[in-house]
Amino acid sequence: MNSAQNRSKQRVALVTGSTSGIGMAIAQQLALDGFTIAFHSKSSVKAGEKLAQAYIGASYTQADLADQNQVRRLIKDVLLHHNRLDVLVNNAGINAVIPHTALKEATAEIWRQLYEVNVIAPWILIAEAEAALRAASSQQCPSCILNISSHAGVRPKGASIPYAASKAALNHMTKLLAMNLAPEIRVNAIAPGLVNTPMTLNWTAAQTLWQERSPMGRGAQPAEIAQVASMLIASHYLTGEIVICDGGLNLT
Ligand code: NAD
């Protein structure tokens, strides 16, 4: 049997950083949508293994995306386990909170760390996954990449300038790849505003801003970002879109 015959008909989605926050909500939503899920995290191995056991056919892989060898191993392990990949969600990301006026606090080391995880890792994951995504794609149902960026990558906002710039790079990469991977692979991004996750637990100024200024009067729940992810993945046509999910704050 060749590898195409070996490949299961069950569609597979890899969601990076899927043991907490937005990533976990997206993975759980995609499981409800009928995907087999490849869970991943940097360090919460027990939580990842528990999630993989809870969903039929699911797998879990630990990999530190700041290490390019581990980034490559993640795709290899997922393909070894599932023998196909239809959807790649680049959700894992890191942040640094630095006042925008404190230029010297935003050191070269911080810039490099943020670029490594938020920009270079998604790039390598996409490059390594491209062949499998093309193989799983059909005219009726193209494969799909979804990048989780940030409203800070669209507007001059965010926890720090290096973070915002790394997410702007991810948004631009999304559009460039949408041009170049079509029609077999669609590439879109969600740019969330404030979302209530472990990352933002103590961001009281942002909580107040969203309560007082945003038309929706609050930050989002992870499940609300997952609902948009599900919609973008379900589309067979949309590509190159950066969908701002900030409860309308950008209108004010
Ligand atoms: P979170 O801290 O709950 O999740 C971040 C995930 O990234 C974790 O699962 C973690 O394991 C993973 N990760 C971090 N560094 C990693 C590394 N070196 N290797 C592998 N995995 C690593 O935070 P979240 O709020 O759910 O964030 C998810 C994504 O959404 C991030 O890309 C973040 O920048 C983006 N985002 C979040 C918000 C928000 O308000 N929460 C807003 C805009 C964008």
Side-chain angles (χ1 to χ4, degrees):
M1 240 199 281
N2 64 31
S3 71
Q5 286 166 319
N6 253 336
R7 204 178 303 125
S8 135
K9 286 200 167 61
Q10 181 65 31
R11 298 180 76 213
V12 175
L14 164 61
V15 184
T16 66
S18 43
T19 58
S20 70
I22 296 170
M24 185 165 76
I26 292 176
Q28 290 173 327
Q29 178 61 53
L30 294 185
L32 286 177
D33 293 346
F35 285 92
T36 296
I37 306 300
F39 288 91
H40 154 265
S41 74
K42 177 187 171 185
S43 50
S44 3
V45 176
K46 280 211 173 106
E49 288 174 347
K50 207 170 155 194
L51 280 163
Q53 278 162 14
Y55 291 92
I56 294 167
S59 65
Y60 166 73
T61 308
Q62 180 276 332
D64 182 351
L65 300 186
D67 174 342
Q68 292 176 23
N69 290 325
Q70 294 189 40
V71 178
R72 292 191 178 88
R73 176 177 56 74
L74 171 58
I75 297 295
K76 271 204 192 89
D77 284 2
V78 168
L79 291 176
L80 261 177
H81 192 101
H82 297 282
N83 202 26
R84 72 177 283 162
L85 186 63
D86 301 79
V87 171
L88 166 61
V89 181
N90 283 311
N91 164 76
I94 53 171
N95 206 333
V97 182
I98 306 166
H100 288 202
T101 48
L103 304 196
K104 286 193 175 164
E105 278 182 37
T107 60
E109 190 49 32
I110 289 172
W111 275 94
R112 286 194 190 100
Q113 283 166 4
L114 285 161
Y115 260 69
E116 198 66 59
V117 177
N118 293 355
V119 184
I120 298 170
W123 177 263
I124 297 175
L125 287 168
I126 292 167
E128 295 294 315
E130 181 189 358
L133 290 168
R134 284 191 189 280
S137 174
S138 67
Q139 211 176 355
Q140 302 74 24
C141 187
S143 294
C144 171
I145 293 164
L146 179 62
N147 296 322
I148 307 303
S149 63
S150 169
H151 76 120
V154 181
R155 307 176 71 219
K157 301 277 175 195
S160 64
I161 290 179
Y163 173 76
S166 74
K167 293 298 192 177
L170 186 60
N171 283 338
H172 204 54
M173 187 202 296
T174 299
K175 293 186 182 189
L176 288 161
L177 287 174
M179 292 276 292
N180 287 286
L181 297 181
E184 289 83 8
I185 306 171
R186 300 183 300 106
V187 192
N188 293 293
I190 296 178
L194 179 69
V195 187
N196 299 319
T197 69
M199 196 187 255
T200 58
L201 220 50
N202 302 319
W203 293 14
T204 40
Q207 305 282 2
T208 308
L209 175 69
W210 255 267
Q211 280 157 19
E212 291 178 355
R213 287 262 311 275
S214 77
M216 293 307 291
R218 60 176 176 85
Q221 294 303 329
E224 292 169 322
I225 304 300
Q227 186 188 31
V228 178
S230 169
M231 285 160 53
L232 284 171
I233 290 166
S235 162
H236 292 165
Y237 188 65
L238 278 185
T239 196
E241 293 296 334
I242 313 294
V243 180
I244 302 177
C245 292
D246 67 350
L249 185 74
N250 70 91
L251 306 170
T252 67

